[in-house]
Amino acid sequence: MKAFLILEDGTVFEGIHIGAEKEIISEIVFNTSMAGYLEVLTDPSYAGQAVCMTYPLIGNYGVCKEDCESRRPWPDGFIVRELSRMPSNFRSDCTIQEYLESFGVPGIAGIDTRALTKILREKGTMNGMITTNADYSLEEILPRLAAYTTGNVVEKVTCENKYEIKGAKDLAENGPISGSAVFNKESFLAGARGEKHPPEKKPSLVKQLNGAGKKVALLDLGAKDNIARSLAMRGCDVTIYPALTPAADIIADKPDGIMLSNGPGDPKECESIIREIRKLYETDIPIFAICLGHQLMALATGADTFKMKYGHRGGNHPVKDLTTGRVYISSQNHGYVVDMDKLDPKVAAPAFVNVNDGTNEGLEYTGKNIFTVQFHPEACPGPQDSGFLFDRFITMMNGGNKDA
């Protein structure tokens, strides 16, 4: 079946329909990762957007549900050059086509994703429609595209109730420190990958349980699962709270540290959450914030944010640590950034900067045990360069210097 991608500027791409059969209007963005399409699909930060993958072949290792970063795919639509219909991977549970269909996510394949990406880079992120209606009318569609906004999508993606993840009691719970998943022929032939034939644990980079006994409160603004997992692997007990949880409730539980997660949409839409984060800032509890959490902390302390031309989305963004001068390759997914021209140096100082465009990638808060980053240190599927930031956070909780 034919499908069409219609952009806000009137550009039309014709391709092949994939995924669920439905029409959507969304913000069109691109991701430059060469692998990890499942983690991209299940990143709640993509709610309200349709994602174009710049790597040309998507789906060749199928869908392994263990690798999902949340309970479902969140993008409104999926845009690829070529979709693999026959994945080759012993861990695969289903194809991308089956996965998209099962969750009602439509998409388009067979278009020139390179040309689409160049348009978005030159003209900036814009809205678009994915449709199978060959009788579309641009005169009717273009005003609808111009009127679309993602709105406040944090409430759509956050958890419904508070829940807890217990920290590892032994390093063996995390899997081997090196090695890879092992092919279990018996399990494969039996078609079983559940409790009876559990899969081999993934390799772990964690070498000590330095967070043992620490309680972390994670405010779920659209959190990827690996944020809580990264803390639990280090021994922390993690309690996950819905995004609209009052600050008083979190403080009353007496956590040793607070994490503010990633999430979707314009940070300025989260007005009530910003007010509660201000109350968390005013405590002496150590705080570590990622992505949207980083932006909301900045807004809560008087700074400002603005929308980027086309954002940072991919697993290959270099960021420089301004304290050490070291550069790390990071995983990123954001369309907004903290405005450094409106940052009060008495409140916070830049800690990381993007090597490519000079935008802010992290802040250290003056006189507070608070640091925030724009990128993703949990970084599933990778790179893992900045995973040490979780250890820095644990050092803060243990009463040490976060720069140690």
Side-chain angles (χ1 to χ4, degrees):
M1 185 188 302
K2 285 184 179 180
F4 304 90
L5 171 62
I6 304 165
L7 297 181
E8 198 174 344
D9 68 348
T11 304
V12 179
F13 291 89
E14 180 179 326
I16 301 165
H17 165 262
I18 60 172
E21 191 174 338
K22 71 189 244 189
E23 182 177 279
I24 60 104
I25 291 176
S26 192
E27 183 178 65
I28 311 299
V29 300
F30 63 88
N31 184 294
T32 57
S33 297
M34 296 179 68
Y37 52 79
L38 181 59
E39 289 88 343
V40 168
L41 279 170
T42 53
D43 182 347
S45 295
Y46 282 110
Q49 298 174 326
V51 185
C52 168
M53 300 299 295
T54 61
Y55 187 72
L57 179 60
I58 299 297
N60 52 332
Y61 53 84
V63 170
C64 176
K65 293 177 181 177
E66 288 172 65
D67 297 339
C68 290
E69 280 296 310
S70 65
R71 62 187 181 275
R72 56 157 297 145
W74 290 105
D76 294 330
F78 200 46
I79 304 164
V80 300
R81 177 69 183 91
E82 181 181 350
L83 191 74
S84 173
R85 302 281 179 170
M86 297 178 65
S88 177
N89 175 12
F90 71 88
R91 297 176 68 237
S92 177
D93 294 306
C94 63
T95 66
I96 285 282
Q97 172 65 24
E98 292 167 338
Y99 188 65
L100 295 176
E101 279 183 328
S102 66
F103 286 98
V105 179
I108 184 171
I111 72 165
D112 187 342
T113 49
R114 183 184 177 92
L116 171 59
T117 301
K118 288 177 74 173
I119 289 172
L120 298 178
R121 280 181 61 91
E122 290 165 8
K123 297 185 178 181
T125 296
M126 64 181 79
N127 298 332
M129 171 186 281
I130 297 175
T131 181
T132 56
N133 179 12
D135 298 323
Y136 62 83
S137 165
L138 282 179
E139 290 184 359
E140 183 269 331
I141 290 172
L142 293 183
R144 292 172 58 197
L145 297 183
Y148 174 81
T149 61
T150 58
N152 186 352
V153 277
V154 169
E155 294 176 32
K156 175 182 175 182
V157 301
T158 190
C159 59
E160 293 183 6
N161 301 294
K162 180 173 80 170
Y163 65 98
E164 187 176 356
I165 295 176
K166 288 292 185 183
K169 303 300 182 188
D170 189 289
L171 280 174
E173 294 179 33
N174 297 329
I177 290 179
S178 63
S180 62
V182 174
F183 176 49
N184 186 316
K185 186 175 181 180
E186 179 188 354
S187 300
F188 179 76
L189 293 175
R193 295 181 62 242
E195 292 181 8
K196 206 171 181 183
H197 300 276
E200 186 77 6
K201 286 186 179 294
K202 294 180 183 178
S204 171
L205 298 177
V206 176
K207 298 179 181 179
Q208 59 175 323
L209 300 179
N210 54 339
K214 295 300 177 185
K215 292 168 51 182
V216 178
L218 171 59
L219 189 63
D220 179 8
L221 306 167
K224 292 171 66 181
D225 286 351
N226 205 45
I227 294 177
R229 191 183 302 125
S230 295
L231 291 164
M233 288 173 69
R234 290 166 168 82
C236 299
D237 291 333
V238 185
T239 303
I240 296 92
Y241 296 80
L244 298 181
T245 303
D249 291 358
I250 297 175
I251 296 166
D253 286 344
K254 298 182 178 178
D256 297 299
I258 298 171
M259 281 217 63
L260 309 179
S261 82
N262 63 294
D266 183 345
K268 291 179 183 176
E269 296 279 350
C270 304
E271 294 180 4
S272 64
I273 299 173
I274 291 169
R275 288 194 293 269
E276 297 305 310
I277 288 176
R278 176 68 196 194
K279 297 173 187 176
L280 297 177
Y281 166 83
E282 290 170 351
T283 71
D284 293 324
I285 303 171
I287 299 175
F288 177 24
I290 292 172
C291 200
L292 178 64
H294 155 79
Q295 297 162 7
L296 295 182
M297 179 59 77
L299 290 170
T301 52
D304 198 8
T305 59
F306 64 88
K307 188 171 185 177
M308 306 173 76
K309 186 176 180 180
Y310 49 81
H312 296 155
R313 298 176 181 89
N316 50 5
H317 291 266
V319 296
K320 183 177 181 179
D321 185 330
L322 296 177
T323 301
T324 65
R326 294 188 64 176
V327 173
Y328 302 94
I329 302 302
S330 67
S331 174
Q332 302 202 11
N333 174 16
H334 63 103
Y336 294 83
V337 69
V338 174
D339 188 345
M340 294 309 296
D341 292 337
K342 297 179 182 178
L343 181 71
D344 184 349
K346 296 177 183 176
V347 174
F352 290 89
V353 66
N354 189 287
V355 175
N356 290 334
D357 62 14
T359 55
N360 178 255
E361 293 282 1
L363 296 170
E364 299 269 3
Y365 282 79
T366 307
K368 291 281 186 178
N369 276 326
I370 299 175
F371 73 100
T372 68
V373 294
Q374 181 62 78
F375 50 96
H376 286 261
E378 84 287 351
C380 258
Q384 304 290 340
D385 291 27
S386 55
F388 71 90
L389 293 174
F390 289 103
D391 298 304
R392 181 184 291 183
F393 177 49
I394 290 170
T395 297
M396 286 169 53
M397 290 191 289
N398 285 324
N401 187 333
K402 61 181 176 291
D403 298 320

